[in-house]
């Protein structure tokens, strides 16, 4: 029984640590998602009703963050991301804007 439990835990740990592709909302964590754990304006993604700061991409990688029409501090945008959740941060390996 212990061996089966160990194999299940090992499998779940491996499965959860793999990068996966998904559609998310992307924006400024502070300005649009209300995150307060760090100061300034930083890129974040939101999925499953929760927002996470992003590592691996910067808020200005997709244009001026304060642009009225497309800036992450002004609007929430849709993105296709590949990455994984590690703790309370999303580790992105690719990010493509869909709008």
């Amino acid at each position: 029984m212990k061996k089966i439990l160990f194999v299940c835990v090992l499998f779940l740990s491996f499965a959860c640590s793999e990068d996966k592709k998904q559609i998310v909302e992307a924006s400024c964590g502070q300005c649009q998602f209300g995150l307060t754990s760090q100061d300034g304006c930083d890129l974040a993604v939101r999925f499953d009703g929760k927002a996470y700061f992003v590592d691996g991409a910067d808020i200005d990688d997709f244009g001026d963050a304060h642009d009225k029409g497309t800036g992450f501090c002004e609007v929430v945008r849709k993105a296709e991301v590949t990455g994984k959740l590690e703790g309370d941060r999303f580790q992105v390996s690719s990010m493509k804007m869909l709008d």
Side-chain angles (χ1 to χ4, degrees):
M1 181 66 174
K2 288 183 182 179
K3 287 182 182 180
I4 293 172
L5 181 59
F6 175 75
V7 171
C8 288
V9 169
L10 184 63
F11 174 76
L12 289 174
S13 297
F14 178 73
C16 292
S17 66
E18 288 185 36
D19 282 2
K20 68 179 193 176
K21 188 182 288 189
Q22 59 188 324
I23 305 299
V24 300
E25 295 177 303
S27 200
C28 176
Q30 292 88 342
C31 296
Q32 296 294 322
F33 295 151
L35 297 176
T36 60
S37 62
Q38 56 191 63
D39 294 329
C41 293
D42 298 286
L43 184 59
V45 294
R46 182 169 56 195
F47 56 92
D48 295 334
K50 186 159 170 45
Y52 305 92
F53 284 116
V54 168
D55 293 323
D58 187 74
I59 195 164
D60 288 315
D61 286 350
F62 303 93
D64 179 6
H66 294 100
D67 181 84
K68 294 290 181 199
T70 60
F72 288 128
C73 292
E74 304 295 329
V75 298
V76 176
R77 299 176 65 189
K78 294 283 184 202
E80 179 182 84
V81 296
T82 302
K84 60 186 170 186
L85 194 57
E86 286 186 5
D88 62 347
R89 298 186 70 87
F90 188 78
Q91 308 298 319
V92 68
S93 53
S94 72
M95 186 169 188
K96 176 179 147 186
M97 301 315 301
L98 299 176
D99 56 3

